[in-house]
Amino acid sequence: MFAETKTFASALLFAMFLLCCEASAQANAAGDSTIVGTFIRHADHKLQMTDTKGKERSLLLSLELKVSCDGSDCNVSDLKNGMKIRVTTLKSDKQVAIEIEALDKQQAFANTQDGKLASLTDQQISLLDINGEISTYTFGASLVVTLEGLTVKREDLKAGMQIRITSSPEQKSVATRIQARRSPPDFRN
């Protein structure tokens, strides 16, 4: 009986290890999605938040969850009710949060810029921000491009589209993610 229990426990631990490895691999896969909203609370490995439409959502927290507050690493316990957050979920399971970015004192999320697509070449993308300034980015090796939440090729983007560019924290002029929308006209959703 003891040997069977030990074998079962070992098998269970191995299965949990494989699940964690799969979650980690999926977290790096293209097409992870983001949800912007307001933090309510966390408990029992779950996050409670409201999205921009006011709908309350409950997400499971990944074992390898990354959390940042105003661009600096922090813990989920540092988040406060009412903070603006952007949550990245797994592509394969949009109920599992793998990253939470929170705003406390800053007005905008770190390493992101919103605007309109000004130009696109094989080597770079230029964005026109709300102040009329143009910022140009080169493409990172693991660039993810989405249009209305669906993974697309960067060639599918057209001048004038609303875009959000996320850049590498180490190299601010290298785009790692481009999110594009035809409508609504901004990224509040």
Side-chain angles (χ1 to χ4, degrees):
M1 173 101 172
F2 175 73
E4 290 173 351
T5 304
K6 187 176 177 183
T7 303
F8 177 74
S10 295
L12 184 61
L13 284 173
F14 183 71
M16 289 174 62
F17 171 77
L18 289 176
L19 183 62
C20 290
C21 290
E22 180 182 302
S24 177
Q26 289 174 348
N28 295 321
D32 296 337
S33 65
T34 57
I35 306 164
V36 175
T38 304
F39 178 80
I40 298 173
R41 68 184 161 277
H42 84 282
D44 301 324
H45 303 290
K46 288 185 181 179
L47 166 76
Q48 294 293 127
M49 67 177 289
T50 54
D51 62 21
T52 55
K53 296 177 182 174
K55 178 182 175 188
E56 190 166 318
R57 300 181 70 147
S58 178
L59 302 171
L60 296 174
L61 300 177
S62 166
L63 295 176
E64 297 182 15
L65 179 70
K66 292 191 281 182
V67 183
S68 64
C69 298
D70 291 333
S72 298
D73 289 344
C74 67
N75 295 309
V76 71
S77 59
D78 297 325
L79 303 181
K80 297 175 238 163
N81 184 14
M83 285 179 127
K84 182 174 182 181
I85 59 173
R86 180 169 60 194
V87 179
T88 303
T89 63
L90 287 175
K91 175 183 180 181
S92 62
D93 187 350
K94 300 205 184 319
Q95 297 303 309
V96 178
I98 58 173
E99 182 177 7
I100 302 171
E101 300 167 85
L103 295 180
D104 187 20
K105 295 176 177 60
Q106 293 183 0
Q107 295 297 314
F109 292 107
N111 305 318
T112 61
Q113 187 173 16
D114 294 349
K116 289 188 178 186
L117 176 57
S119 67
L120 179 70
T121 69
D122 291 340
Q123 304 296 319
Q124 61 190 22
I125 186 169
S126 294
L127 171 142
L128 177 66
D129 69 18
I130 60 170
N131 298 320
E133 296 183 22
I134 292 184
S135 299
T136 301
Y137 299 83
T138 58
F139 303 117
S142 59
L143 177 69
V144 175
V145 181
T146 61
L147 175 59
E148 303 291 347
L150 301 174
T151 303
V152 297
K153 297 176 185 174
R154 63 180 182 235
E155 296 81 22
D156 295 328
L157 304 180
K158 305 295 180 218
M161 284 183 169
Q162 285 294 126
I163 60 172
R164 170 178 288 146
I165 295 179
T166 303
S167 62
S168 165
E170 298 81 27
Q171 297 176 301
K172 304 277 187 214
S173 64
V174 177
T176 57
R177 178 182 290 176
I178 302 170
Q179 296 166 282
R181 296 245 170 125
R182 292 186 187 104
S183 63
D186 58 36
F187 284 91
R188 288 180 289 192
N189 302 352

